[in-house]
Amino acid sequence: EPEVTQTPSHQVTQMGQEVILRCVPISNHLYFYWYRQILGQKVEFLVSFYNNEISEKSEIFDDQFSVERPDGSNFTLKIRSTKLEDSAMYFCASSRLQGAVSGYTFGSGTRLTVV
Amino acid sequence: KNEVEQSPQNLTAQEGEFITINCSYSVGISALHWLQQHPGGGIVSLFMLSSGKKKHGRLIATINIQEKHSSLHITASHPRDSAVYICAVNLVDDMRFGAGTRLTVKP
């Protein structure tokens, strides 16, 4: 069964450093999403991406964050100048059609620890 | 007020019991998802519903759009069903998540 692949599975970074979290969505999916889950809290929506541009973003997704689809397969989340409160599990998901019509497939997540 | 409310927060059951987890939402949605989060953190999509009922193996999900309510049922529960079950709703390009129900099934 097709999978959404996320790398790395765990990343530790110093506060103030930039990190790039990588995702390989399912190949025929067109819509891509990033979510985060701070330890012990709810999953939160960050951003959705379609046709090489952001289609929706939450209040959390400020200027510190950016997303990119640098080639035909990768979908990346960049966090500039990480803060301690950015420590969380970050999930990528993709869907073939806009969310209401087809289901989402989630990656297994990247656990980011900012020290 | 949370847009997505789940109950119960925690649930402990004996192997073989029938389990129900409830989800209520307060906003207009295009679809509702039931997700399973394993102890390691990974998320698996179980169901996506916009009406009626879906069944997959021992899992059944129902939704009542008029009442803004959905239930996830697990028949003949097993210790491997132990996980956090999350209800999430689609708002066009956005998803809102419930806080999850932590299910523990004891042998």
Side-chain angles (χ1 to χ4, degrees):
Chain A
E1 189 165 329
E3 289 184 343
V4 172
T5 305
Q6 287 188 244
T7 55
S9 56
H10 190 186
Q11 180 151 359
V12 181
T13 190
Q14 293 273 350
M15 190 169 60
Q17 295 294 306
E18 175 183 285
V19 294
I20 297 176
L21 309 184
R22 302 181 192 278
C23 171
V24 179
I26 293 173
S27 59
N28 65 346
H29 284 190
L30 301 176
Y31 292 81
F32 313 113
Y33 312 87
W34 281 103
Y35 302 88
R36 78 170 185 192
Q37 185 178 33
I38 295 170
L39 186 64
Q41 297 187 22
K42 288 195 277 189
V43 179
E44 300 169 293
F45 168 76
L46 291 177
V47 65
S48 60
F49 191 86
Y50 170 71
N51 200 26
N52 284 320
E53 60 183 30
I54 290 172
S55 50
E56 193 76 25
K57 61 181 182 178
S58 71
E59 292 175 353
I60 302 166
F61 194 88
D62 59 21
D63 292 342
Q64 181 196 10
F65 294 90
S66 61
V67 289
E68 197 176 33
R69 191 155 159 80
D71 53 43
S73 59
N74 289 285
F75 177 51
T76 62
L77 174 69
K78 183 190 291 186
I79 310 174
R80 288 182 273 275
S81 188
T82 49
K83 304 190 283 279
L84 294 176
E85 53 264 38
D86 293 326
S87 295
M89 184 78 103
Y90 288 82
F91 292 100
C92 172
S94 68
S95 64
R96 189 169 63 86
L97 300 172
Q98 196 167 8
V101 181
S102 66
Y104 289 55
T105 302
F106 284 82
S108 54
T110 293
R111 185 172 297 282
L112 176 66
T113 304
V114 182
V115 297
Chain B
K1 184 182 187 299
N2 290 328
E3 290 154 318
V4 183
E5 298 270 6
Q6 286 186 237
S7 63
Q9 285 186 303
N10 294 284
L11 181 57
T12 300
Q14 287 297 129
E15 183 173 356
E17 285 184 2
F18 180 83
I19 286 158
T20 296
I21 299 170
N22 295 300
C23 176
S24 296
Y25 53 93
S26 59
V27 293
I29 68 169
S30 52
L32 182 143
H33 301 254
W34 282 103
L35 311 170
Q36 181 190 54
Q37 186 168 32
H38 295 289
I43 292 177
V44 174
S45 179
L46 299 175
F47 294 103
M48 189 191 72
L49 296 161
S50 53
S51 65
K53 176 179 171 178
K54 286 191 176 179
K55 184 176 190 293
H56 186 243
R58 295 180 294 105
L59 302 178
I60 303 165
T62 63
I63 188 168
N64 185 319
I65 297 293
Q66 287 73 32
E67 294 186 5
K68 292 187 166 61
H69 181 269
S70 175
S71 293
L72 176 69
H73 306 285
I74 305 175
T75 61
S77 59
H78 190 276
R80 64 175 175 268
D81 297 326
S82 298
V84 175
Y85 292 83
I86 301 171
C87 172
V89 297
N90 266 108
L91 309 174
V92 191
D93 279 337
D94 189 1
M95 276 177 87
R96 301 290 164 83
F97 294 78
T101 294
R102 183 175 299 279
L103 171 65
T104 304
V105 182
K106 294 185 175 180

